[in-house]
Amino acid sequence: MSIPAPSYVRGIAPYQAGKPISELAREYGLREDRIVKLASNENPLGVPESAQRAMLAELEDLARYPDSNGFVLKGAIARRYEVPPEWVTLGNGSNDILELVAHAVVQPGQSVVYAQYSFAVYALATQEVGAQAIVVPAREHGHDLDAMLAAIRPDTRLVFIANPNNPTGTFAPAQAIERFIERVPADVVVVLDEAYNEYLPPALRFDSVAWVRRFPNLLVCRTFSKVYGLAGLRVGFGLAQPELTDLLNRIRQPFNVNSMAQAAAAAVLFDEAFLQRSYEVNAAGLQRLQSAFAAMGLEYVPSFGNFVLVRVGDAAAVNERLLRAGIIVRPVAGYGLPEWLRVSVGLPEENEAFLAALPAALGRA
Ligand SMILES: *Cc1c(COP(=O)(O)O)cnc(C)c1O
């Protein structure tokens, strides 16, 4: 410990990612094609063909740096969401945007508000800028927005909200979010992280971009990693009015989104057929998993995303037995949920493989 580093950096618990298929194969001597990964909320349909074609066309230009200003992709996002391109920030995953905003508006010692059991990156982004985390207890595993509002202090600069939330899958209705943003002080930035927005049933969908037009302190984040099937490329974006967008732009890496990612994302943004199929596969799979859990007498949190949190008891032991059976799901002890596993919705045959392995993993078979 001779390298001087801020104590808040030494205090960070590194992010624990879902186990890669190749790693499980190596460690357990399993064949990769027998492994089912339901651990990272990826799209089980894979990379959309529209994106594959765009990337092939991009391949020959890879000796060049990417477009630092992301002209084509920002233009596509601007058209899709009916905002000026100057309101768009591209990120190396939306994870990048979450960190950019913390670096842009929070000083060491100031505070950041987020909910218990919300996305792990909020804690990381808070700690890496030396800020104080105000973690607001969850209500029924979801955000308690009234308590979050009450938790804001004079030194609070940032509030993170995930809607739907990961890892719990909970959802706060549009009116509740809108009322929250209306009441947050104007000098506190609200990040509305909508990584799973496209999985909401039509009746629950709402226009968060309209709030971006009303509130200069709002940043809405979206990602191409989930429903769009491009997690490995690392691309996401933020929408905010020009003042906040300009701050983010000052501190981002000049080439933070690579050329392949920009090309693929621009192509898939208007691939309605792929989006619709992804939505339907997920809705059916989510229903299947949740009704199977109910039939097995397992408690679960009804989900609005592409994953579901289920209570299995000794989750570490259950997880270990699932791994031996070639099934990768996500333990969430790091979130303070040691009795639960988070299971991503897969293809029908993947869901069935998981459900078939589950009774033995629970020690019931
Ligand atoms: C997956 C996820 C993200 C971001 O993922 P990227 O791959 O970095 O775009 C952001 N927020 C939540 C809540 C997520 O679950």
Side-chain angles (χ1 to χ4, degrees):
M1 289 290 171
S2 56
I3 297 171
S7 56
Y8 56 80
V9 172
R10 290 213 186 276
I12 290 175
Y15 182 81
Q16 291 177 329
K19 191 185 271 293
I21 288 175
S22 55
E23 186 179 308
L24 182 67
R26 268 196 314 276
E27 287 180 357
Y28 289 69
L30 299 170
R31 275 179 45 180
E32 290 200 14
D33 59 2
R34 295 278 174 80
I35 293 174
V36 169
K37 185 184 178 208
L38 303 174
S40 299
N41 302 344
E42 298 145 341
N43 188 329
L45 294 175
V47 181
E49 277 175 38
S50 56
Q52 295 190 28
R53 280 192 301 273
M55 285 190 284
L56 277 177
E58 190 62 34
L59 201 52
E60 60 192 40
D61 284 329
L62 286 186
R64 306 279 179 204
Y65 277 99
D67 176 357
S68 170
N69 291 317
F71 180 82
V72 171
L73 178 53
K74 280 190 190 174
I77 292 167
R79 272 200 310 286
R80 171 84 174 68
Y81 293 101
E82 299 176 350
V83 295
E86 297 74 35
W87 291 30
V88 182
T89 306
L90 302 181
N92 186 22
S94 58
N95 194 142
D96 193 16
I97 307 283
L98 301 175
E99 296 193 345
L100 286 176
V101 67
H103 283 274
V105 305
V106 188
Q107 286 182 28
Q110 294 179 326
S111 65
V112 176
V113 170
Y114 53 86
Q116 180 188 26
Y117 310 141
S118 62
F119 189 42
V121 169
Y122 308 154
L124 290 170
T126 300
Q127 286 172 290
E128 75 189 34
V129 299
Q132 254 187 301
I134 301 178
V135 184
V136 178
R139 205 168 64 196
E140 292 171 12
H141 293 100
H143 291 55
D144 183 342
L145 292 171
D146 289 334
M148 290 179 75
L149 193 67
I152 292 173
R153 303 190 308 221
D155 70 357
T156 299
R157 286 289 161 271
L158 189 58
V159 180
F160 285 112
I161 294 176
N163 201 39
N165 185 44
N166 171 21
T168 62
T170 52
F171 173 70
Q175 312 84 287
I177 299 283
E178 184 171 14
R179 247 169 49 87
F180 178 85
I181 304 168
E182 282 169 347
R183 291 151 73 203
V184 167
D187 62 352
V188 175
V189 170
V190 177
V191 174
L192 184 57
D193 178 357
E194 300 186 321
Y196 303 96
N197 174 272
E198 299 84 357
Y199 288 112
L200 289 174
L204 294 180
R205 290 181 196 164
F206 54 94
D207 184 10
S208 51
V209 180
W211 302 334
V212 174
R213 294 191 192 94
R214 272 176 68 196
F215 302 105
N217 59 330
L218 177 65
L219 172 67
V220 166
C221 291
R222 300 283 183 95
T223 181
F224 289 96
S225 299
K226 307 287 162 53
V227 79
Y228 289 107
L230 300 177
L233 280 179
R234 312 306 303 127
V235 54
F237 62 95
L239 301 176
Q241 290 189 22
E243 186 185 357
L244 183 51
T245 300
D246 175 67
L247 288 170
L248 303 183
N249 190 51
R250 283 166 195 265
I251 56 169
R252 74 176 172 86
Q253 287 182 41
F255 304 104
N256 62 333
V257 181
N258 71 75
S259 317
M260 286 292 223
Q262 290 189 32
V268 80
L269 196 57
F270 292 94
D271 191 341
E272 294 298 335
F274 182 78
L275 276 188
Q276 184 59 26
R277 201 150 54 89
S278 300
Y279 172 80
E280 286 165 11
V281 166
N282 184 66
L286 191 58
Q287 166 133 46
R288 169 70 180 131
L289 289 177
Q290 292 187 156
S291 57
F293 295 153
M296 297 173 76
L298 296 173
E299 184 185 349
Y300 65 91
V301 181
S303 175
F304 294 85
N306 64 344
F307 55 89
V308 53
L309 193 64
V310 60
R311 189 173 202 164
V312 296
D314 183 354
V318 176
N319 182 54
E320 182 59 33
R321 289 192 284 264
L322 286 171
L323 288 174
R324 290 189 189 286
I327 312 275
I328 313 176
V329 298
R330 189 65 154 272
V332 283
Y335 284 90
L337 295 163
E339 296 192 353
W340 301 73
L341 292 173
R342 192 195 67 191
V343 184
S344 304
V345 176
L347 296 172
E349 58 270 29
E350 295 173 320
N351 301 331
E352 294 312 318
F354 161 69
L355 290 172
L358 186 55
L362 289 166
R364 291 182 181 182

